[in-house]
Amino acid sequence: MKRLTLRSSVALACALSLAACGGNDGNLQLAGAVYGVTKTGLVLINKNNGEKLPVEPGQSIFAFTKLLSNDENFEVDIFSSPDNAVCSVANGKGATGSFSINSVVVNCIINTHALGGTVSGLDTNGLVLVNGADKIEVKAGATSFSLTKVAEGSPYGVTILTQPASRTCRIVDGVGTVGKTDITNIQVICS
């Protein structure tokens, strides 16, 4: 009986000392995939334990450093987004069960902005403008044009693919990099 009491006391003392030293930390990872991060500023947070995790541009996977225990709840959310994108989380909330979680998905969609401007002197059809693979025909009498929206931070170069019949057109301010606002100052001048 004395031995059983002694063994029980030793076992209790060991358990308490391990708990005091952090010996009951989990061994399950909270991780996932990340898409579309091109600038710094994305920080994830596990709302259940408060851990914040910065995600660098070009990074495709992430893993929180604090390990979770069996049946521990987690809730991954966006703490801050890069200033050029809107980010969202899928599969970010649940409980671990007895396995690591690797199914969280963070997707960042880069902001896009309009690309266009004014047209003057165009009185015949046939003017075709391009920006990369995007192509539009500008009709006679048009005073403005719009191409497909372009991602923030991306370069653009609007050029003339086809001149209209009996006219010569030129482009002013057709090359640059998309900033935080729409590009509306490109001029197409025909004479």
Side-chain angles (χ1 to χ4, degrees):
M1 184 76 161
K2 243 182 181 182
R3 272 196 186 146
L4 182 58
T5 304
L6 183 58
R7 274 191 253 169
S8 297
S9 297
V10 170
L12 180 60
C14 287
L16 290 174
S17 63
L18 281 175
C21 295
N24 65 341
D25 285 345
N27 62 350
L28 304 176
Q29 187 177 51
L30 177 57
V34 60
Y35 301 97
V37 180
T38 61
K39 287 180 78 175
T40 59
L42 175 61
V43 178
L44 304 177
I45 185 169
N46 180 356
K47 288 183 167 183
N48 283 35
N49 65 15
E51 181 182 4
K52 294 175 187 163
L53 179 69
V55 177
E56 296 302 318
Q59 194 172 327
S60 61
I61 57 172
F62 67 89
F64 285 91
T65 58
K66 291 182 182 176
L67 298 176
L68 304 180
S69 300
N70 289 357
D71 300 320
E72 185 173 343
N73 290 328
F74 63 89
E75 184 177 355
V76 177
D77 203 357
I78 305 297
F79 182 76
S80 66
S81 288
D83 66 1
N84 71 334
V86 175
C87 300
S88 61
V89 177
N91 303 324
K93 188 174 182 179
T96 58
S98 56
F99 298 99
S100 290
I101 302 297
N102 296 307
S103 58
V104 180
V105 177
V106 177
N107 194 23
C108 295
I109 305 297
I110 306 297
N111 300 329
T112 58
H113 298 285
L115 181 63
T118 60
V119 179
S120 62
L122 183 62
D123 58 3
T124 61
N125 288 328
L127 174 64
V128 178
L129 302 177
V130 294
N131 177 51
D134 188 22
K135 178 172 75 170
I136 60 162
E137 182 177 351
V138 182
K139 300 291 184 186
T143 58
S144 65
F145 72 94
S146 292
L147 289 151
T148 301
K149 290 184 173 189
V150 179
E152 197 171 296
S154 295
Y156 64 90
V158 178
T159 59
I160 296 171
L161 179 65
T162 307
Q163 291 282 359
S166 73
R167 288 280 180 226
T168 300
C169 301
R170 65 186 173 91
I171 295 179
V172 177
D173 295 326
V175 177
T177 301
V178 177
K180 300 221 164 283
T181 59
D182 292 343
I183 305 295
T184 59
N185 65 329
I186 300 171
Q187 299 173 55
V188 179
I189 302 167
C190 301
S191 58

